[in-house]
Structures are given as structure tokens and as C-alpha cells.
Amino acid sequence: FICFATEMWERFSYYGMRALLILYLTKHWEFTDAASYLIYGAYTSLVYIMPVFGGMLADQILGSKKAVTYGAILLVFGHLGMTVESNEQIFYLSLALIVSGVGFLKPNISTMVGALYEEGDPRRDSGFTIFYMGINFGAILGPLLIGLLGEGYNWHYGFSLAGIGMVFGLISYKIGGKYLGSA
């Protein structure tokens, strides 16, 4: 359930922020559609490739627990950096922090779920099912709540909610991490 909560809040913040990104680029920054799609595409591509490097660093140097902690911290700073208005450099730095944070957190928290159960343990499938429910729950709620708040009221309120969600994920992980064994 600790991994469930951490991953749920990470997916909440990630997919929620992603729901706002194109709209924010075209409406707030007034980028062209082509430039917005290029930034969005580069961002999402990097989010999907960085877990390879985050997993390697965890395997060889950090360990899964430290990697997840560092990833969550980077995600908090990245999402909260998105709340800074009218500073393009901080915007790009924030995207880079989010990409790096996902790179550390995503592969390693999944590994931790697998490490909770011995091979052949009948609870293993149930553990992964609960974990994936957290992913889906966060992926559904994030775009709805963050998207509505961000576009409906203020972009930076939406980005703030993404950051607050990731703070909840970090707190869940730090409080419950002692139950996850040594990794």
C-alpha cells in the first residue's frame, strides 16, 4: 500500500501536469502549435527513456530506496517550479527536473513491489494488482482535477496541485519506507 500511494500520487501529478502542458504552452506562452507539440513530444519521450538510466544508477550505485526518494524530491521541485510565472528558463528546468524524477522513481518503485514477495508467493500477483490500481487511480484523477483547476481557474493552481500531490507521494513513501525492507 506504500508503493500504491507513492505511485498513485506520482501518476496523479505526472498525468495532471501533462494534461495542462499543451494548453499552457499555446495559451499562456502563446507558442505555436508546432513548437508546443515539439516540446511536448520531447518531454514525453524523455520521460519514457529516463527510467533506463534511473534503473541503472539505482542498480549500480544508489539502491532502489534512495533512487525513489531522490526521484520524488526532484518531482516535487519540478512540479512546484511550474508554478513560477513568466520565466521560460525555470519552465524548462522544471520539465528537466520532472523528467529526471520520473527516471529515478518509476523503475525503482516497481522493482520494490517485486522485491516484497518471494518468487512463487501467491500474494505477489495481488501485490502488483494493488500497485497497478494506484497507477490507474492517479492517472484518472490527475488530469481531471489538475486539468479542471489549471485551465478553469489558473494555470499555476493546477501546477501547484500537481506539486502538492507529489508532496503527498513523498510523505507516504518516507513514512512507510521502513516497511519496504532494504533495497
Side-chain angles (χ1 to χ4, degrees), residues 119-158:
E119 197 68 40
D121 187 331
R123 299 173 301 161
R124 189 177 187 144
D125 286 345
S126 297
F128 272 106
T129 298
I130 291 167
F131 178 70
Y132 285 119
M133 286 171 53
I135 292 171
N136 292 326
F137 193 61
I140 290 168
L141 283 182
L144 290 174
L145 298 177
I146 293 168
L148 286 171
L149 184 63
E151 191 178 18
Y153 294 99
N154 183 296
W155 299 112
H156 304 288
Y157 291 167

Side-chain angles (χ1 to χ4, degrees), residues 9-158:
W9 286 114
E10 186 275 331
R11 293 287 89 183
F12 173 87
S13 63
Y14 171 72
Y15 282 113
M17 190 285 285
R18 215 172 103 170
L20 288 181
L21 189 55
I22 288 285
L23 299 170
Y24 179 70
L25 290 169
T26 55
K27 293 181 178 184
H28 178 75
W29 288 106
E30 297 181 357
F31 284 13
T32 64
D33 287 351
S36 298
Y37 293 140
L38 184 64
I39 292 167
Y40 182 85
Y43 167 72
T44 54
S45 297
L46 288 169
V47 161
Y48 285 104
I49 193 68
M50 285 305 286
V52 171
F53 300 107
M56 287 179 5
L57 280 170
D59 286 347
Q60 296 174 6
I61 299 169
L62 297 172
S64 293
K65 285 183 116 175
K66 282 184 184 175
V68 170
T69 300
Y70 295 156
I73 291 168
L74 290 170
L75 284 161
V76 167
F77 284 119
H79 285 296
L80 294 178
M82 296 291 289
T83 66
V84 175
E85 208 166 330
S86 302
N87 189 318
E88 201 169 333
Q89 289 79 22
I90 292 177
F91 168 74
Y92 288 117
L93 174 62
S94 298
L95 290 180
L97 290 172
I98 294 167
V99 165
S100 301
V102 170
F104 279 117
L105 190 142
K106 194 74 177 137
N108 293 299
I109 198 153
S110 299
T111 300
M112 292 173 78
V113 173
L116 290 172
Y117 307 98
E118 294 292 326
E119 197 68 40
D121 187 331
R123 299 173 301 161
R124 189 177 187 144
D125 286 345
S126 297
F128 272 106
T129 298
I130 291 167
F131 178 70
Y132 285 119
M133 286 171 53
I135 292 171
N136 292 326
F137 193 61
I140 290 168
L141 283 182
L144 290 174
L145 298 177
I146 293 168
L148 286 171
L149 184 63
E151 191 178 18
Y153 294 99
N154 183 296
W155 299 112
H156 304 288
Y157 291 167

